Amino acid sequence: FLLFEGGDHLTNGMQNLTELATKYPDSDLAKYANFSLGISTSTEFADFTKNRVRQSDIKKSLTHLEAAKPKLHGYYAKKAYFTLANLYDKSNDKTAKENTLSEFVDRFSSDSKFTDSISKAKNMLEDSS
């Protein structure tokens, strides 16, 4: 579940990560549990064994990603911030989208590994103005 950032068919994984995020929110692993659950619920999931599609759950995704965001670094932080910005855009919350992108720029602008991502975030901010 963590590796693939989701998978509704992995019910034990989802249950264990939800329990970890709920019972131990301040643990080092809770940030990854919230990240994975947030990314998973941000998109549709086609379950071919049950022949159905689970729709995305923006509210649940926002809750998990917002909980994880301040504790994440590297790839996980970038993915969380940009997913949040896209979800806020889908839900027509322009202020939250701009705040998320601004926070990303402020937090990571001094890290050379994020140069391209900072440029992307700044472009997204300019486009939404």
Side-chain angles (χ1 to χ4, degrees):
F1 192 91
L2 289 170
L3 178 64
F4 295 116
E5 297 173 353
D8 290 20
H9 60 292
L10 303 170
T11 54
N12 287 340
M14 289 181 66
Q15 289 170 355
N16 291 338
L17 290 173
T18 301
E19 182 178 339
L20 174 63
T22 304
K23 286 188 176 181
Y24 309 101
D26 297 324
S27 72
D28 286 338
L29 295 177
K31 64 185 172 189
Y32 297 111
N34 276 311
F35 170 82
S36 292
L37 291 166
I39 295 297
S40 175
T41 55
S42 73
T43 59
E44 293 179 345
F45 179 79
D47 187 341
F48 296 108
T49 60
K50 295 180 182 175
N51 201 26
R52 65 184 172 121
V53 175
R54 181 213 15 101
Q55 298 300 310
S56 63
D57 186 338
I58 291 176
K59 184 177 178 182
K60 188 182 278 190
S61 181
L62 290 171
T63 300
H64 285 295
L65 291 173
E66 285 290 352
K69 178 181 68 170
K71 301 170 188 171
L72 296 172
H73 300 283
Y75 162 81
Y76 299 102
K78 181 177 83 172
K79 178 95 173 183
Y81 276 94
F82 282 99
T83 301
L84 281 165
N86 288 329
L87 291 172
Y88 285 128
D89 191 42
K90 282 182 184 177
S91 60
N92 295 316
D93 191 342
K94 183 178 177 180
T95 302
K97 174 187 175 184
E98 291 173 353
N99 289 342
T100 299
L101 292 169
S102 294
E103 181 183 335
F104 177 77
V105 170
D106 292 343
R107 185 171 168 201
F108 296 105
S109 61
S110 63
D111 189 336
S112 63
K113 293 180 285 194
F114 285 95
T115 303
D116 291 340
S117 299
I118 296 298
S119 295
K120 179 180 176 183
K122 287 179 178 179
N123 288 337
M124 290 171 71
L125 282 165
E126 288 175 11
D127 290 344
S128 69
S129 295

